[in-house]
Amino acid sequence: MTEEPVGVLAGIARHAFPKAPMELVDHVDVTVDGGLHGDFRGAVKPGGRGRRQVTLMEAGDWAAAMAELDHAIPWQERRANLLVEHLDLPQTAGTLIGIGAEVILEITVECDPCSRMETIATGLKAALTPDWRGGACSRVKRGGRIAVGDAIHILDPSQGL
């Protein structure tokens, strides 16, 4: 696959069950059927499409929302799985993202901020709403192991998996 501009995986977070605290890890295994190991949201339900297995957020978007609100809240409070630096995540369903040497994710839909963001900080939901600031949801197309510091690429889908 042809690779486009390179970003960096700056953070990995997961939660074992709904509303559980986010756990930061420096590496994790990713599977097609289970998403991030240890994250409850990654499991594809029978008959499901796995559209929200792994969520990604740009570090710059989180920083912009924090600046707008004059807060300094840790990124994982957004409840996204992966924090991306130095790469503008495509806002197009079907875009393939390569992480590290093996993992491929497919962008499926915008990750809309929920009302839960308001419990973190008043105005956070609105600050994350414009221009996909809340991040992107994805499904796992090819699994493997990822680690903080891994390169992230936008892949050319015409090259095939």
Side-chain angles (χ1 to χ4, degrees), residues 80-100:
N81 296 121
L82 305 179
L83 184 67
V84 176
E85 286 186 337
H86 312 300
L87 183 69
D88 187 17
L89 289 171
Q91 299 176 358
T92 307
T95 301
L96 298 177
I97 306 290
I99 305 176

Side-chain angles (χ1 to χ4, degrees), residues 1 17 19 22 49-50 62 65 81 90 96 109 112 119 127 156:
M1 288 197 149
F17 54 89
K19 299 184 181 175
M22 295 300 285
R49 296 180 293 173
W62 183 252
N81 296 121
L96 298 177
V109 67
D112 294 320
T119 64
D156 180 351

Side-chain angles (χ1 to χ4, degrees), residues 14-23 79 116:
R14 62 188 181 185
H15 51 306
F17 54 89
K19 299 184 181 175
M22 295 300 285
E23 173 191 18
R79 306 190 69 71
R116 193 159 178 207

Side-chain angles (χ1 to χ4, degrees), residues 139-154:
R139 75 171 49 96
V140 180
K141 298 298 278 185
R142 187 169 71 199
R145 178 169 275 220
I146 58 174
V148 171
D150 278 353
I152 300 177
H153 306 273
I154 300 168

Side-chain angles (χ1 to χ4, degrees), residues 34-148:
L36 268 62
H37 177 74
D39 189 80
F40 88 96
R41 192 171 302 280
V44 178
K45 295 175 178 72
R49 296 180 293 173
R51 291 177 8 146
R52 296 178 176 268
Q53 280 186 293
V54 179
T55 53
L56 303 98
M57 182 179 61
E58 295 175 35
D61 285 345
W62 183 252
M66 291 299 95
E68 220 174 87
L69 299 175
D70 195 28
H71 282 296
I73 300 166
W75 74 272
Q76 67 271 19
E77 294 302 314
R78 168 63 184 106
R79 306 190 69 71
N81 296 121
L82 305 179
L83 184 67
V84 176
E85 286 186 337
H86 312 300
L87 183 69
D88 187 17
L89 289 171
Q91 299 176 358
T92 307
T95 301
L96 298 177
I97 306 290
I99 305 176
E102 303 169 311
V103 173
I104 297 177
L105 304 177
E106 177 186 9
I107 301 292
T108 56
V109 67
E110 179 178 4
C111 189
D112 294 320
C114 65
S115 58
R116 193 159 178 207
M117 295 298 101
E118 289 302 298
T119 64
I120 296 169
T122 301
L124 183 55
K125 181 178 177 183
L128 291 172
T129 298
D131 197 33
W132 285 49
R133 260 194 200 170
C137 297
S138 69
R139 75 171 49 96
V140 180
K141 298 298 278 185
R142 187 169 71 199
R145 178 169 275 220
I146 58 174
V148 171

